[in-house]
Each structure stands twice: as structure tokens, then as C-alpha cells.
Amino acid sequence: MKDFPFLSVLTLLPLAGAIVVACIPRARAELAKIVALVWSLAVLALSIVMWAAFTVGSTDRFQFRESYAWIPSWDARFTLAADGIALVMLMLIAVLFPVVILASWHDVDASRRSAPAYFALLLAFEFTMIGVFAAADVFLFYVFFEIMLIPMYFIIGSFGTGQKQYAAVKFFLYSLVGGLFMLASVIGLWVVGGHTFDFAALVEAGRSFDTNTARWLFLGFFVAFAIKAPFFPFHTWLPDSGGAAPAGAAALLVGVMDKVGTFGILRYCLPLFPEASRWFAPAALVLAVIGIIYAALLAVGQNDLKRLVSYTSIAHFGFIGIGIFAFTTQGGTGSVLYMVNHGLATGLLFIVVGMFVARRGSSLVSDFGGAGKLVPVLAGVLFFAGLASLALPGTAPFVSEFLVLIGTFSTHKAYAVIATAGIILAAAYVLWMIQRTTQGTLNPALDEVPAMRKDLSLREKVVVAPLILLLLVLGFYPKPVTDVINPAVQATLQDVGTTDPAPTAVADGKGGR
Amino acid sequence: MGELKLPPIDYGALAPMLILFGVACVGVLVEVLIPRRFRNLTQLILALLGVVAALVFLVINRNTRIVTIGGAVAVDGPTIFLQGAILVLGALSLFLIGERQVEAGGAFVPQAAVVVGSDSDTRQTPGRPGLTEVYPLATFALGGMLLFVAANDLLTMFVALEVFSLPLYLLCALARRRRLLSQEAALKYFLLGSYASAFFLFGVALLYGFAGSVQFDAIHQAVASPQNSQVLLYGGLGLVSIGLLFKSALAPFHVWTPDVYQGAPTPITAFMAACTKVAAFGALLRVLYGAFEGARWDFQPVLGTVAALTMLVGAILAVTQTDMKRLLAYSSIANAGYLMVGVLALTEDGLSSTMFYLVAYGFSVVAAFAIVSLVRDSDGEATHLSRWAGIGRKSPLLAGVFTFILLAFAGIPLTSGFTAKFAVFGAAVDGGQTWLVIFGVVTSMLIAFPYLRVVVLMWLSEPGESTPAVSIPGFLTSAALALGVIVTIALGVVPAPLIDLTREASQFVR
């Protein structure tokens, strides 16, 4: 069963879907939506089969490896492979896309642009997303890293709301600038790494890089990933993009696309430049902790729901960042698990907020108030999504946040302690948002909007149910996911050359490094 | 004094050039012999046949590696590759030149030698079929370009330079619309081009003084073991370079580009942007790699500064442009800078990546100007940027294609622009020119902005009252456009065959 070319089929399937959907005439919008949904469900089905075929605990780090010649004279190959980290990300993508497509069912109806274009762009985006996580060749990874901007740029620019042009251009330029820094590093890596793009060969070559060269190359990659993630101070594009994008696309933007940043750090920065990673770790940790506190504070002050959720997401990426640069198995596993859980929780939060915004016709917090009296079920789902987002025990993010914090505490006490303060702030911004929108006295203006009286439709229940279910299941029983992640994280940390502190080493306050 | 003896001539190796010059002469006769209403078609077919025949001979010659006609012409890998590129891009440009359906009578004026703005000039504007002398002129220019990249001594190179420049000066003046702008462009190009030629010739004289010969292998030897003052070498190299830098539109010798690109008829602009660039860089490669390789430590930093300056000027000034043709002109200046990065690698990879870049850029830029020629209103082409607002709503296919071309210029992966940029940057880092690559990356960020602005304008702006309708392209323009776009995709997705070809062709003979 492992001989089946899972990854190339998984990558190319959405591309084929995008082409098919794009060819549907704009008058047949319903048909386009159904085809897109069925297509994304097919991708989900295939990825479930792939999950089943993945050998947990195998010594083989990269499974489902496929490699085809592409540009022989540069030794750039079309190589796809998945380790545990990539696999869980691919699963997250496969789960989120059908949900988002179903959630976006009526998003483009009001817009004058054609619905087939929107759903074709979503599928094209899924193609680039799967490609970027499945690539195991540095050149191929870079190609996907750059082209994933294009569908999202048109989604934000053509189908967004508010300052959509400004947001789309800002999104594109920020990401492109990061990408070009990375391009410089990719070229440098190719030259000093012996004219190859093969990941394994480069990891081998990376052990003997000149210290200065490695640090510069690391920096090129890191800046690109930090912009993408986004880490403080490269984060300013995200609230604009998240605020302007259609709710479903915003869920994908922070739920999936941003993960490319943290995934890239784990997959490329750490194994390729181990010494540089250790050297830069303190700086990265400081940036991550600043991000946690700073973004949380800004989130508290936001009056726009979509921007608020975007800021919470920047804070969460701070947690993922400290988990990665703590260089412990627990921290790393926690980070990857956090990437999955954050995709589910923030994805749900964006989708629910989108449902509110679509009903009210505004995303300002002040336009709501007491909405729970009109739409109790929807308000309940928002409450659940908020609690998951602030990592309440019992929901999946709690497990990952806990792992990150204990993983960090064993090597970097101070950072863990400061980061914990972020949890308090998280409670503040989530609860305050829920209080101002759904609780309290009913805003009379809200009462006059007829759409605000419709509670969840069957379609919307189908949208939120799988996410709620997954958040609960993974909250109580994360083992199937952590088992997949753990070996991959350990292999990554081995490449970095760090080992977990022995349990006694914690007592002397210095950690084991 | 002994008997004058002709040097041995390999006519087979020279055939492509001879064919083109012959066809151009026949073209002049056609003007006299064929009635006016058949002339356009006859000339077009004749010119295309000449190009195809020349290509056929190139394919036959593909393994030829010789120096012939008394050391004046070298036919080797780079020559054949670059000549092939010039011919293919020239054929695409001829398609654009031959287009008569988009605008009644074509893009060229019926009578050139009329005082601009006079009564007879205004009377001749509507409807009448345009000049057909453009075909022999373009063919002469193509022949000159072929010789330019094959020249193995500086005098042949100078002759070739004039042979392809003079027709271009004329062609620039023939735009049917905006006659004043067109003539001004031609005059500017002619005057500055003459200065550049004069510098070139002066440099040749100094180098003759230095090496005692104008042949590249003699100069190469003289550079290795100089007998005369180095001042002659540096002066000569500097002055010769000025001539070549001018043709390649490298800063600070780029100032003519925006005006000429804007004023020339759009098919001629495409011709210059694609073919002249190949010819100019081909000659630059041959001079630097063939003759002056030994002086690399002396000219590398100077030309490196030129490359950096070019990239900066192109990228920064492109941001401020409000006219599409001027924007593309500055973009071509920036691209000349990237090409120079590849040239300065001074390795075999540098040579092959530069040749790859030339082909990739040539096809994209022909497609870009083909699109410019389609967006028009009653006054001709609507090149002001504001007129392109919302064109994506009215003509999604055209806007989509143009977006793709702009993404290629911006160097987004899966387009030829990315592959080409990667190739030259990789070669430059390999050749120890990392600082140029850093410049290249920074300016790539800058120049992405104007491209993106056009994309935003086309797709995300509301169409205004003044958004012009897009003309239905005729067969010829469609063909040029389609080929340009297909190659731009193909070189992005499966670049391996062309990369291999450039690698096989990256050996000069002296």
C-alpha cells in the first residue's frame, strides 16, 4: 500500500479540481460549489487512507518518498516525502478545506465576482499548501512557498471586504520580501552545499558549513519564515489580511498558511543550520515572548472581530516559537501539536466570527451586544471556540500549550514564566470579546437586522460539528497525533544536536544544555 | 608587394547572415517591382522565409566550431545559440510588425518623410496602408545582429553595430500615431547611438595601439603578456564597453531607453527589447569572455558597479512611471542589470545562465508588448496606466495573460523569469559575486511593486469610463502572444532542455 504515490496524487488532485471548477461558467455557481466540496472531500478521503498507511514509530523518518527528475543540471528534483510533522499538517489541511468550502457557501453570493473563480482559487490554494508541506527538496519547497501567495492574493483582493486592495498588496509584498531573502539563502545554500537541493544531502553538508556563512543563510530562511508565521516585529500584515479576507479564507490564512513559517523553521532552519539555530535561539525566544505579550495586549484593544482573532493568532505563534527554540522534545512536540490545534481552534473561531459578521453585515464589536439572546446556538459555538482558543483544559490547545510550557520551563524558566502571563491575557481578550458580543443586554440595532434572528442552519451545523468534535477528542486523547509527531521532532532535535535535559538537571536551575 | 590573397571563407557557417542580407536586398527590389496592394504580404512572407531559412542553416551548423573569413567571424556554441535566439525572437517581432488587423493599415506611417504636424501629415494618418520598407529594414537589422554576436574582431563588431543600428533608428521614427514623439525618439536614439558608436570606435583604436591587432585572440594574448602601456588597455576597454553598455541599456547609459521605447512603434519596441538585447549582451559576452578574460580583476568591480546601479535605477524609476511602455522600458533596464550579474560571474555557468536569461526575457517581453499593442482606443494605444484600470473585468483573458507575464518579470516561480533569475544569481554566487546577488535580491523586491501595481489596477480597480476596449488580436499578434506566453510557462515548469542547451553551447572559440 505504501507504493501508491500518495503525495503526488494528493498534491495534484486539488490542482486538477481548481482547473475543473474554473472552467464552470459563472452562471452555474451552485454546481461549482458542489464540485469544489466533493473534490476537497476526495482529498480528505485520500489523506485519511494515507494516515492509515503511515507507519508510526518507523525508523524511516520520511515516508511516502517519491522523487522525479526535474532540472538535472541544478540537481533540483520533484521530491515529495512526509515525516510526522508534515503528515499532521497535511491532515489539518485536508480537514480544514472541506469545512471552509462549506462555510464559504454564500460568501461570494453578494459579491459581483464569480463564484467558480472563488472556489477554484480555494482549491488552487489547497494545491500550493499541500505542495509546500509535502516538498522534500529545497528548490521545490521554495517554488511552492512563493506561488502560494498568488491564489491568496486574489482571494483577498477580489473577494475581501473593507481595505481589501491595501491588504492584498501588503500581504503580497511582505511575503515576497521574505521569499526573496529566502531566495538569496537558497542560492547560497546550493552553492556552499555542493550544488544540490536534496534535503538529506544538505543536512549532511550543513554540519561542515563555515560558521558565518551558516548564520547568514539561517537568517535568510528565518526572516522569510518569521514574516510568514508571523513573529513580532514582522506581524503587521496579518491583522490587515485577516481583517480584509473573507472569513473562510482568513481561517485558512492563519489556520494553515501561517504554519508554513513555523514548519519551515522546524524543517529547514534547524536541521540545515544547527549551530546557527542554537546561536540565534535566544533572539528568537525573545521575539516569540514579545509576540505573545504584545499581540495579546493589542487583541484586548481591538474593536474589529476579525482583526482581534488575527492578533490572538500572532500571540499563539509566539507560543509555537518558544516551543521550537526551547530545543526539548516536549517543547517541540507541543509546538507541532499546537500548530494542529491552533489550526482547528482558530479556524473554528474565524468561521464562527464569519457567521456573525455575515448576519450582522459588520465586523465591529460595538455593532453587537447580547447576540446570544437572538442566536443562542451560534453564541454557544463562539463561546466554545473562544474557550478552545484560550486553551481551556479539555480542549485540544490546552494539551499543546501545556507541553510547550513544561518543555520550555525545563530549559528556559524565565521565558516560560513570562509566556504564562500570556495565558491570562488570552483569557482577558477572549472572554471580553464574548461578553461584548453575545452577553449582556440586547443591542436594539441588532434586533432590527432580520438575519440576526436565524440561528445555525443545517449547513452551518455541519461546518462547525467536525471541528468541535476534533477539538474535544484531541483534548482528551491526543496520543494518536503525538505518537506521529514525536519521532519526527526527536529526529529534528538530533540534527540540531541538542538533548533533553536530564530530570535532575532541572534542579540546578541551569538546564542540561 | 605580393599578390592579394582572399582568406578562406566557410560560406556554410556564414549562410544565416548571408541569407538575411540577401533577403533584405530582395526586399528592397520588391518595393519597386510588386504592386502596392500585394507588397505587405509579399514582404512579410519573404522576411519570414529568410528567417526560417537562416534558422535551418543554423541547425545544420549546430556543431560547427570555427573561426573563418580571415579571423573576422567566429562561429561557435554561443554564436549559434544567440543567433538562433535572435532569429526566433525576430520572427515573433515580424509577426507583430506584420499585424494589419488591430489597426487599419498597421502601426507604421504610410509616408515617413513628411514634416510632422503639417497638413499632408495629418491627412495621411487614417486608413492608408503603412510603409512596407519596414520589412527590409528589420531584416537588415536582424542580419547585423547575427554578425554582431559572431564578430571575432573589433572592426567587424563595429560594422555589425552600425548595420543593425541604422535601420533601428529609422524604424523608430515610423509610428503612425504620436508622430512627434516617434520622431523625437528616433532622433534621440540616433544622436546618442552615434556618440556611443564613436566611443566604441575610439576604443577600438586604443586597443589596436595596445595589442597591435583588433582580433580577439591577439588582444587576449596581449592582455596575458602586455607589451604596451596598460593605459591603452584600460582606456580602450572602457570606451568599447561604453558602446556596448549603451546598446544593452545599462546605467548610466540607459537614458535613451524610456523615451525611445515609448516613442517607437510598439512592434519595434518589442523588437528592440528582445532582439537588440540579445545582440548587445551577446557581443558583451564575447568581448569580456573572449578577449579580456585576463583583465577580469580590473573590470569586474567597475562593471559590477554598473550592474548594481542599473538594477537600482531600473527598479526605483519603474515605481514612478505612469505610462505602460515607459514602465516596461525601466523594467527592461532592471533586467539588463540582472543579465549583467550573470555576465560578471565570468564562468561557464555565467555564460550559459546569461544566454538562458536572454531567451526567457525575450519571449516574455515580446508577449508584453503584444498586449500593449492590443489595449487601444480611437487614438491608438492607450498606454497611460490609468486607462488600464479594471481591464480585468472587461477582458479577463488578456488581463490574465498580462498578469502572468508580470509575475514572470517579478520572478515568481513556475515562470521563466524565476528560472532565469535563479540561474544568473546562482552563477554569480558561484563566481564569487555575492554582493551583486544581494543587490539583485533587494532590487527584485523594489521592482515587484510596480508590477503588482499594474496587477492591482487591472483586477482590483473598478473599470472607469475611459477604460478602453481591447482589440481582437489578429492572427499574427495572437501567434506572437501565444508563443511568448507558452515559452514563458514552459521555461518555468520544464526549463531543463534549454538549460542543457545553453550549457552545451557555452564555449567560445577565439
Side-chain angles (χ1 to χ4, degrees), chain B residues 371-407:
Chain B
I371 289 167
V372 170
S373 75
L374 292 177
V375 179
R376 54 200 313 136
D377 56 18
S378 55
D379 286 338
E381 286 158 10
T383 53
H384 198 274
L385 276 188
S386 62
R387 310 290 305 277
W388 289 61
I391 221 161
R393 303 278 174 85
K394 288 191 167 182
S395 337
L397 184 64
L398 175 122
V401 168
F402 197 48
T403 303
F404 177 73
I405 295 291
L406 289 171
L407 290 178

mmCIF file of all heavy atoms in Angstrom, chain B residues 371-407:
data_model
loop_
_atom_site.group_PDB
_atom_site.id
_atom_site.type_symbol
_atom_site.label_atom_id
_atom_site.label_comp_id
_atom_site.label_asym_id
_atom_site.label_seq_id
_atom_site.Cartn_x
_atom_site.Cartn_y
_atom_site.Cartn_z
ATOM 1 N N ILE B 371 0.669 42.658 -25.923
ATOM 2 C CA ILE B 371 -0.526 43.035 -25.174
ATOM 3 C C ILE B 371 -0.713 44.544 -25.189
ATOM 4 O O ILE B 371 -1.824 45.040 -25.370
ATOM 5 C CB ILE B 371 -0.425 42.492 -23.736
ATOM 6 C CG1 ILE B 371 -0.578 40.982 -23.772
ATOM 7 C CG2 ILE B 371 -1.485 43.106 -22.846
ATOM 8 C CD1 ILE B 371 -0.206 40.296 -22.512
ATOM 9 N N VAL B 372 0.406 45.272 -25.016
ATOM 10 C CA VAL B 372 0.303 46.731 -25.053
ATOM 11 C C VAL B 372 -0.318 47.183 -26.378
ATOM 12 O O VAL B 372 -1.126 48.111 -26.420
ATOM 13 C CB VAL B 372 1.700 47.365 -24.859
ATOM 14 C CG1 VAL B 372 1.661 48.852 -25.132
ATOM 15 C CG2 VAL B 372 2.206 47.102 -23.451
ATOM 16 N N SER B 373 0.031 46.494 -27.459
ATOM 17 C CA SER B 373 -0.481 46.923 -28.770
ATOM 18 C C SER B 373 -1.973 46.626 -28.914
ATOM 19 O O SER B 373 -2.598 47.101 -29.849
ATOM 20 C CB SER B 373 0.306 46.252 -29.889
ATOM 21 O OG SER B 373 -0.083 44.903 -30.001
ATOM 22 N N LEU B 374 -2.525 45.839 -28.011
ATOM 23 C CA LEU B 374 -3.945 45.478 -28.134
ATOM 24 C C LEU B 374 -4.862 46.390 -27.344
ATOM 25 O O LEU B 374 -6.053 46.477 -27.625
ATOM 26 C CB LEU B 374 -4.162 44.037 -27.660
ATOM 27 C CG LEU B 374 -3.548 42.957 -28.536
ATOM 28 C CD1 LEU B 374 -3.781 41.592 -27.925
ATOM 29 C CD2 LEU B 374 -4.129 43.013 -29.924
ATOM 30 N N VAL B 375 -4.326 47.009 -26.306
ATOM 31 C CA VAL B 375 -5.176 47.854 -25.463
ATOM 32 C C VAL B 375 -5.218 49.234 -26.088
ATOM 33 O O VAL B 375 -4.262 49.984 -25.993
ATOM 34 C CB VAL B 375 -4.640 47.908 -24.032
ATOM 35 C CG1 VAL B 375 -5.508 48.807 -23.171
ATOM 36 C CG2 VAL B 375 -4.588 46.520 -23.452
ATOM 37 N N ARG B 376 -6.300 49.571 -26.756
ATOM 38 C CA ARG B 376 -6.297 50.813 -27.520
ATOM 39 C C ARG B 376 -7.682 51.434 -27.578
ATOM 40 O O ARG B 376 -8.693 50.796 -27.330
ATOM 41 C CB ARG B 376 -5.772 50.552 -28.926
ATOM 42 C CG ARG B 376 -6.502 49.448 -29.644
ATOM 43 C CD ARG B 376 -5.669 48.893 -30.781
ATOM 44 N NE ARG B 376 -5.120 49.989 -31.582
ATOM 45 C CZ ARG B 376 -3.862 50.022 -32.022
ATOM 46 N NH1 ARG B 376 -3.052 49.064 -31.772
ATOM 47 N NH2 ARG B 376 -3.449 51.017 -32.740
ATOM 48 N N ASP B 377 -7.704 52.717 -27.876
ATOM 49 C CA ASP B 377 -8.964 53.406 -28.103
ATOM 50 C C ASP B 377 -8.879 54.085 -29.470
ATOM 51 O O ASP B 377 -8.014 53.753 -30.267
ATOM 52 C CB ASP B 377 -9.236 54.414 -26.972
ATOM 53 C CG ASP B 377 -8.091 55.390 -26.815
ATOM 54 O OD1 ASP B 377 -7.295 55.509 -27.760
ATOM 55 O OD2 ASP B 377 -7.992 56.022 -25.765
ATOM 56 N N SER B 378 -9.762 55.064 -29.716
ATOM 57 C CA SER B 378 -9.792 55.660 -31.053
ATOM 58 C C SER B 378 -8.499 56.393 -31.389
ATOM 59 O O SER B 378 -8.181 56.598 -32.551
ATOM 60 C CB SER B 378 -10.972 56.621 -31.142
ATOM 61 O OG SER B 378 -10.860 57.562 -30.099
ATOM 62 N N ASP B 379 -7.720 56.781 -30.370
ATOM 63 C CA ASP B 379 -6.473 57.499 -30.634
ATOM 64 C C ASP B 379 -5.271 56.569 -30.753
ATOM 65 O O ASP B 379 -4.140 57.018 -30.714
ATOM 66 C CB ASP B 379 -6.186 58.495 -29.501
ATOM 67 C CG ASP B 379 -7.119 59.680 -29.598
ATOM 68 O OD1 ASP B 379 -7.628 59.905 -30.703
ATOM 69 O OD2 ASP B 379 -7.333 60.346 -28.570
ATOM 70 N N GLY B 380 -5.515 55.285 -30.840
ATOM 71 C CA GLY B 380 -4.384 54.365 -30.861
ATOM 72 C C GLY B 380 -4.225 53.711 -29.504
ATOM 73 O O GLY B 380 -5.189 53.610 -28.741
ATOM 74 N N GLU B 381 -2.997 53.315 -29.222
ATOM 75 C CA GLU B 381 -2.768 52.585 -27.985
ATOM 76 C C GLU B 381 -3.008 53.456 -26.767
ATOM 77 O O GLU B 381 -2.613 54.615 -26.740
ATOM 78 C CB GLU B 381 -1.330 52.065 -27.952
ATOM 79 C CG GLU B 381 -1.130 50.893 -28.876
ATOM 80 C CD GLU B 381 0.323 50.724 -29.255
ATOM 81 O OE1 GLU B 381 1.168 51.387 -28.648
ATOM 82 O OE2 GLU B 381 0.597 49.935 -30.167
ATOM 83 N N ALA B 382 -3.664 52.881 -25.775
ATOM 84 C CA ALA B 382 -3.900 53.597 -24.526
ATOM 85 C C ALA B 382 -2.841 53.135 -23.543
ATOM 86 O O ALA B 382 -3.020 52.144 -22.849
ATOM 87 C CB ALA B 382 -5.294 53.303 -24.002
ATOM 88 N N THR B 383 -1.715 53.851 -23.532
ATOM 89 C CA THR B 383 -0.620 53.352 -22.711
ATOM 90 C C THR B 383 -0.586 53.974 -21.332
ATOM 91 O O THR B 383 0.189 53.540 -20.487
ATOM 92 C CB THR B 383 0.737 53.618 -23.390
ATOM 93 O OG1 THR B 383 0.818 54.998 -23.720
ATOM 94 C CG2 THR B 383 0.889 52.781 -24.645
ATOM 95 N N HIS B 384 -1.390 55.006 -21.081
ATOM 96 C CA HIS B 384 -1.360 55.582 -19.740
ATOM 97 C C HIS B 384 -1.928 54.571 -18.748
ATOM 98 O O HIS B 384 -2.950 53.933 -19.008
ATOM 99 C CB HIS B 384 -2.159 56.881 -19.683
ATOM 100 C CG HIS B 384 -1.818 57.706 -18.485
ATOM 101 N ND1 HIS B 384 -2.425 57.526 -17.278
ATOM 102 C CD2 HIS B 384 -0.895 58.693 -18.301
ATOM 103 C CE1 HIS B 384 -1.903 58.372 -16.398
ATOM 104 N NE2 HIS B 384 -0.980 59.085 -17.008
ATOM 105 N N LEU B 385 -1.244 54.438 -17.613
ATOM 106 C CA LEU B 385 -1.630 53.396 -16.667
ATOM 107 C C LEU B 385 -3.075 53.527 -16.218
ATOM 108 O O LEU B 385 -3.771 52.535 -16.038
ATOM 109 C CB LEU B 385 -0.719 53.441 -15.439
ATOM 110 C CG LEU B 385 0.614 52.711 -15.561
ATOM 111 C CD1 LEU B 385 1.302 52.691 -14.223
ATOM 112 C CD2 LEU B 385 0.394 51.296 -16.036
ATOM 113 N N SER B 386 -3.535 54.774 -16.048
ATOM 114 C CA SER B 386 -4.885 54.951 -15.519
ATOM 115 C C SER B 386 -5.918 54.327 -16.451
ATOM 116 O O SER B 386 -7.003 53.947 -16.026
ATOM 117 C CB SER B 386 -5.177 56.444 -15.347
ATOM 118 O OG SER B 386 -5.117 57.074 -16.612
ATOM 119 N N ARG B 387 -5.547 54.210 -17.731
ATOM 120 C CA ARG B 387 -6.501 53.654 -18.673
ATOM 121 C C ARG B 387 -6.641 52.147 -18.526
ATOM 122 O O ARG B 387 -7.553 51.544 -19.096
ATOM 123 C CB ARG B 387 -6.059 53.986 -20.105
ATOM 124 C CG ARG B 387 -5.739 55.439 -20.345
ATOM 125 C CD ARG B 387 -6.983 56.294 -20.308
ATOM 126 N NE ARG B 387 -7.990 55.823 -21.232
ATOM 127 C CZ ARG B 387 -8.002 56.130 -22.521
ATOM 128 N NH1 ARG B 387 -7.052 56.897 -23.003
ATOM 129 N NH2 ARG B 387 -8.936 55.679 -23.298
ATOM 130 N N TRP B 388 -5.718 51.529 -17.820
ATOM 131 C CA TRP B 388 -5.770 50.074 -17.671
ATOM 132 C C TRP B 388 -6.616 49.654 -16.476
ATOM 133 O O TRP B 388 -6.776 48.455 -16.221
ATOM 134 C CB TRP B 388 -4.348 49.504 -17.500
ATOM 135 C CG TRP B 388 -3.538 49.564 -18.750
ATOM 136 C CD1 TRP B 388 -3.190 50.684 -19.444
ATOM 137 C CD2 TRP B 388 -2.981 48.463 -19.478
ATOM 138 N NE1 TRP B 388 -2.445 50.347 -20.544
ATOM 139 C CE2 TRP B 388 -2.302 48.991 -20.595
ATOM 140 C CE3 TRP B 388 -2.982 47.083 -19.298
ATOM 141 C CZ2 TRP B 388 -1.634 48.188 -21.510
ATOM 142 C CZ3 TRP B 388 -2.310 46.292 -20.208
ATOM 143 C CH2 TRP B 388 -1.660 46.841 -21.307
ATOM 144 N N ALA B 389 -7.177 50.629 -15.765
ATOM 145 C CA ALA B 389 -7.928 50.285 -14.553
ATOM 146 C C ALA B 389 -9.123 49.403 -14.899
ATOM 147 O O ALA B 389 -9.888 49.710 -15.814
ATOM 148 C CB ALA B 389 -8.400 51.564 -13.868
ATOM 149 N N GLY B 390 -9.259 48.337 -14.173
ATOM 150 C CA GLY B 390 -10.433 47.488 -14.322
ATOM 151 C C GLY B 390 -10.499 46.714 -15.611
ATOM 152 O O GLY B 390 -11.563 46.198 -15.976
ATOM 153 N N ILE B 391 -9.396 46.589 -16.296
ATOM 154 C CA ILE B 391 -9.433 45.898 -17.574
ATOM 155 C C ILE B 391 -9.701 44.404 -17.382
ATOM 156 O O ILE B 391 -10.198 43.718 -18.279
ATOM 157 C CB ILE B 391 -8.115 46.169 -18.334
ATOM 158 C CG1 ILE B 391 -8.439 46.395 -19.810
ATOM 159 C CG2 ILE B 391 -7.122 45.053 -18.188
ATOM 160 C CD1 ILE B 391 -7.338 47.085 -20.541
ATOM 161 N N GLY B 392 -9.421 43.923 -16.170
ATOM 162 C CA GLY B 392 -9.682 42.516 -15.862
ATOM 163 C C GLY B 392 -11.156 42.165 -15.937
ATOM 164 O O GLY B 392 -11.525 41.033 -16.237
ATOM 165 N N ARG B 393 -12.013 43.155 -15.659
ATOM 166 C CA ARG B 393 -13.455 42.892 -15.745
ATOM 167 C C ARG B 393 -13.895 42.795 -17.187
ATOM 168 O O ARG B 393 -14.724 41.979 -17.547
ATOM 169 C CB ARG B 393 -14.249 44.021 -15.087
ATOM 170 C CG ARG B 393 -13.897 44.278 -13.667
ATOM 171 C CD ARG B 393 -14.613 43.295 -12.753
ATOM 172 N NE ARG B 393 -14.136 43.474 -11.396
ATOM 173 C CZ ARG B 393 -14.631 44.373 -10.570
ATOM 174 N NH1 ARG B 393 -15.612 45.153 -10.947
ATOM 175 N NH2 ARG B 393 -14.150 44.495 -9.347
ATOM 176 N N LYS B 394 -13.319 43.679 -18.022
ATOM 177 C CA LYS B 394 -13.773 43.731 -19.402
ATOM 178 C C LYS B 394 -13.161 42.626 -20.242
ATOM 179 O O LYS B 394 -13.824 42.065 -21.101
ATOM 180 C CB LYS B 394 -13.410 45.094 -20.011
ATOM 181 C CG LYS B 394 -14.264 46.219 -19.472
ATOM 182 C CD LYS B 394 -14.041 47.468 -20.299
ATOM 183 C CE LYS B 394 -15.100 48.513 -20.003
ATOM 184 N NZ LYS B 394 -14.919 49.705 -20.830
ATOM 185 N N SER B 395 -11.899 42.355 -20.049
ATOM 186 C CA SER B 395 -11.228 41.338 -20.860
ATOM 187 C C SER B 395 -10.379 40.453 -19.966
ATOM 188 O O SER B 395 -9.171 40.628 -19.876
ATOM 189 C CB SER B 395 -10.327 41.977 -21.905
ATOM 190 O OG SER B 395 -10.736 43.271 -22.179
ATOM 191 N N PRO B 396 -11.032 39.528 -19.262
ATOM 192 C CA PRO B 396 -10.293 38.736 -18.272
ATOM 193 C C PRO B 396 -9.147 37.934 -18.871
ATOM 194 O O PRO B 396 -8.109 37.791 -18.238
ATOM 195 C CB PRO B 396 -11.357 37.805 -17.680
ATOM 196 C CG PRO B 396 -12.573 37.964 -18.503
ATOM 197 C CD PRO B 396 -12.462 39.211 -19.304
ATOM 198 N N LEU B 397 -9.316 37.459 -20.085
ATOM 199 C CA LEU B 397 -8.263 36.628 -20.660
ATOM 200 C C LEU B 397 -6.991 37.447 -20.860
ATOM 201 O O LEU B 397 -5.894 37.046 -20.451
ATOM 202 C CB LEU B 397 -8.719 36.023 -21.990
ATOM 203 C CG LEU B 397 -7.714 35.063 -22.596
ATOM 204 C CD1 LEU B 397 -7.518 33.851 -21.697
ATOM 205 C CD2 LEU B 397 -8.142 34.613 -23.987
ATOM 206 N N LEU B 398 -7.152 38.624 -21.471
ATOM 207 C CA LEU B 398 -5.982 39.461 -21.714
ATOM 208 C C LEU B 398 -5.332 39.876 -20.401
ATOM 209 O O LEU B 398 -4.109 39.797 -20.242
ATOM 210 C CB LEU B 398 -6.393 40.708 -22.503
ATOM 211 C CG LEU B 398 -5.259 41.689 -22.707
ATOM 212 C CD1 LEU B 398 -5.029 41.923 -24.170
ATOM 213 C CD2 LEU B 398 -5.534 42.996 -21.996
ATOM 214 N N ALA B 399 -6.166 40.272 -19.435
ATOM 215 C CA ALA B 399 -5.603 40.694 -18.155
ATOM 216 C C ALA B 399 -4.914 39.516 -17.474
ATOM 217 O O ALA B 399 -3.873 39.686 -16.840
ATOM 218 C CB ALA B 399 -6.704 41.262 -17.267
ATOM 219 N N GLY B 400 -5.493 38.322 -17.619
ATOM 220 C CA GLY B 400 -4.877 37.151 -17.018
ATOM 221 C C GLY B 400 -3.512 36.877 -17.616
ATOM 222 O O GLY B 400 -2.542 36.614 -16.897
ATOM 223 N N VAL B 401 -3.447 36.963 -18.935
ATOM 224 C CA VAL B 401 -2.167 36.709 -19.601
ATOM 225 C C VAL B 401 -1.137 37.756 -19.192
ATOM 226 O O VAL B 401 0.013 37.436 -18.885
ATOM 227 C CB VAL B 401 -2.371 36.706 -21.131
ATOM 228 C CG1 VAL B 401 -1.034 36.742 -21.841
ATOM 229 C CG2 VAL B 401 -3.146 35.482 -21.556
ATOM 230 N N PHE B 402 -1.573 39.004 -19.137
ATOM 231 C CA PHE B 402 -0.631 40.060 -18.779
ATOM 232 C C PHE B 402 -0.171 39.897 -17.331
ATOM 233 O O PHE B 402 1.000 40.121 -17.011
ATOM 234 C CB PHE B 402 -1.263 41.436 -19.005
ATOM 235 C CG PHE B 402 -0.261 42.556 -19.061
ATOM 236 C CD1 PHE B 402 0.869 42.438 -19.843
ATOM 237 C CD2 PHE B 402 -0.450 43.715 -18.340
ATOM 238 C CE1 PHE B 402 1.807 43.459 -19.905
ATOM 239 C CE2 PHE B 402 0.477 44.743 -18.389
ATOM 240 C CZ PHE B 402 1.604 44.617 -19.173
ATOM 241 N N THR B 403 -1.115 39.498 -16.464
ATOM 242 C CA THR B 403 -0.736 39.249 -15.075
ATOM 243 C C THR B 403 0.352 38.189 -15.010
ATOM 244 O O THR B 403 1.346 38.328 -14.284
ATOM 245 C CB THR B 403 -1.958 38.771 -14.278
ATOM 246 O OG1 THR B 403 -2.972 39.748 -14.393
ATOM 247 C CG2 THR B 403 -1.609 38.545 -12.836
ATOM 248 N N PHE B 404 0.158 37.147 -15.801
ATOM 249 C CA PHE B 404 1.153 36.076 -15.803
ATOM 250 C C PHE B 404 2.521 36.597 -16.253
ATOM 251 O O PHE B 404 3.548 36.290 -15.642
ATOM 252 C CB PHE B 404 0.672 34.948 -16.714
ATOM 253 C CG PHE B 404 1.653 33.827 -16.832
ATOM 254 C CD1 PHE B 404 1.833 32.956 -15.779
ATOM 255 C CD2 PHE B 404 2.409 33.667 -17.979
ATOM 256 C CE1 PHE B 404 2.753 31.934 -15.865
ATOM 257 C CE2 PHE B 404 3.333 32.651 -18.074
ATOM 258 C CZ PHE B 404 3.505 31.783 -17.015
ATOM 259 N N ILE B 405 2.510 37.428 -17.305
ATOM 260 C CA ILE B 405 3.775 37.972 -17.794
ATOM 261 C C ILE B 405 4.423 38.855 -16.725
ATOM 262 O O ILE B 405 5.635 38.812 -16.497
ATOM 263 C CB ILE B 405 3.537 38.787 -19.082
ATOM 264 C CG1 ILE B 405 3.046 37.875 -20.206
ATOM 265 C CG2 ILE B 405 4.778 39.530 -19.518
ATOM 266 C CD1 ILE B 405 4.079 36.915 -20.713
ATOM 267 N N LEU B 406 3.587 39.631 -16.031
ATOM 268 C CA LEU B 406 4.145 40.496 -14.987
ATOM 269 C C LEU B 406 4.715 39.672 -13.846
ATOM 270 O O LEU B 406 5.754 40.006 -13.263
ATOM 271 C CB LEU B 406 3.069 41.453 -14.460
ATOM 272 C CG LEU B 406 2.652 42.550 -15.442
ATOM 273 C CD1 LEU B 406 1.454 43.299 -14.913
ATOM 274 C CD2 LEU B 406 3.797 43.517 -15.687
ATOM 275 N N LEU B 407 4.037 38.560 -13.519
ATOM 276 C CA LEU B 407 4.580 37.681 -12.484
ATOM 277 C C LEU B 407 5.925 37.115 -12.937
ATOM 278 O O LEU B 407 6.840 36.927 -12.132
ATOM 279 C CB LEU B 407 3.609 36.544 -12.173
ATOM 280 C CG LEU B 407 2.322 36.942 -11.459
ATOM 281 C CD1 LEU B 407 1.427 35.735 -11.260
ATOM 282 C CD2 LEU B 407 2.629 37.565 -10.113
#
